[in-house]
Amino acid sequence: MVAKNGSPIAGAALAMEREAFRRLGERAIALAADHIADRPAQPAHRAVPLEKRRRILGEALPESGMDADAILDRLADDLLAYPFGNDHPRYFGYVVTAPAPIGVLADILARTANSPGGGEDHGGLYLHYAATRWVGELIGFPAEGGMGLLVPGGSTANLTGLAVARHVAAKADGWDVRAEGMQGGHRPMVLYATAEAHSCVRKSVELLGIGSANLRAVPTGADHRMDTAALKASIAADRAAGRRPFCVVASAGTVNTGAVDPLAEIADICAAEGIWLHVDGAYGAFGCVDPAMAPRYAGMERADSVALDPHKWLGVPVDCGCVLVRDGAAQRAAFSLVPDYLSGADAVDADTVRWPMEFGFDLTTPVRAAKLWAVIAHMGRKGVARMVTTHIAMARRLGALVAARAELELLAPVMLSVVCFRYRPAGWAADDGRLDKLNQAVVDALNADGTYHITPTRLEGRLCLRACLINYRTTDADVDGLPDHVAAIGAQVARQF
Ligand SMILES: Cc1ncc(COP(=O)(O)O)c(C=O)c1O
């Protein structure tokens, strides 16, 4: 292929004429549109057949390029036909959801420009600042002097917030963690979270050199929320032992039960103790837009940093995590490293817009802001509030339906949009040792059936079914049908026990 100027194109094998791209693009969009429309009538999840797995895994590297239509055929057959399941309205499993169509379209445009999100003067940079400000406004987090960074997901959002906390604590103690690492023989830093905090908190603590031995599992009450008296006692004990309490991670919606820790009380403790408050709202922070729930989130606006996941409840296509940091200058001090070849970093509008790469680890990133901006713009504040409030109401109703059935047992209060329960046939005692196995078998049978997909967890050692409702496509009928379905499958499965 030659360019318009008659000169040969370097990567001719990749180039595509406008009309070819348009035709293939229309085909791809048609495949996507059919997929979205057809999903509700399909099983929530189908296992990839063994022969298909083997064929994909063993496929030889093609010597010459494949035809583009054949590539789309293959992706339709091998990828679209076997999704994870979260794009289905009755997928109630992990905290992942269907992608908002407007986000999918926005991402195509962002990918077409392919601007690296780390910096420079391009449209995506300004969308980044606009979209992260909107996220802050949605949850009532102050913007002035702060920074919002888009990252791959909640795990990186938490890691980033905790890295800033570590840097700030070291600086307050008169040393520089960037220079010394964690090898300078200073007092061990200690971080506090409940055992219900997401596993990425422990991973972050390990990665930051704090060590999981210095991660305190603060006890929780029966509602799985942090016991603040125990938090205070734990901090006091660490201080007395010469350690350095530096950060509390409070959950604004735990992955297991949706518990929101008592944020205002924790904020008071952190303020009194001079400790960084980080809120993990990856799943639940957006729950505060439900007016009835807002009081539970009081105190979140006082956090030093908040991790959120627009690719969860907002339905922004994966990947899109976000960390909001109250003190943007502190975040920049924790991360900024601008080599000579990137010295344009100061050339933008440095008072209001700096290169995002100065505030986190990544340099080249996709412009996640395009799909985030598009999804929020498409819904507006009211649309976000309506969807979140509806999911929370659905979860309450599901909890009531479960509680009303003799053979189903609610295992945790419904606090957000997660319902934890198990199947317990008549005559089986609550401490019957077979219940875990039975419920695992119920989950397996339910997921094999495909009408619903849910994932199990353990609460106080007991295996339970966990239905998480964050999917914009889910209907009342989808939710209300679950108890009957579990009861019917449970009855079949229990016969084999
Ligand atoms: C509360 C909470 N925090 C953090 C994470 C990690 O987020 P991600 O999977 O986007 O890295 C999750 C994921 O479910 C979560 O529920």
Side-chain angles (χ1 to χ4, degrees), residues 234 324 366 488:
S234 192
L324 302 176

Side-chain angles (χ1 to χ4, degrees), residues 201-279:
V201 173
R202 176 169 164 189
K203 270 187 165 177
S204 300
V205 160
E206 291 173 0
L207 206 58
L208 291 169
I210 290 156
S212 54
N214 296 309
L215 169 60
R216 299 281 173 267
V218 182
T220 50
D223 54 4
H224 305 282
R225 299 165 77 223
M226 187 182 282
D227 174 343
T228 49
L231 170 64
K232 271 190 196 165
S234 192
I235 293 171
D238 280 319
R239 283 209 198 282
R243 290 184 279 264
R244 167 63 156 107
F246 86 105
C247 179
V248 176
V249 175
S251 295
T254 58
V255 64
N256 273 339
T257 66
V260 178
D261 286 330
L263 303 174
E265 283 176 53
I266 297 170
D268 286 343
I269 295 170
C270 288
E273 297 276 355
I275 293 179
W276 186 276
L277 172 58
H278 174 82
V279 172

Side-chain angles (χ1 to χ4, degrees), residues 307-326:
L308 307 103
D309 248 349
H311 70 200
K312 293 187 175 7
W313 218 334
L314 287 192
V316 174
V318 170
D319 63 359
C320 189
C322 177
V323 58
L324 302 176
V325 178
R326 174 182 300 274

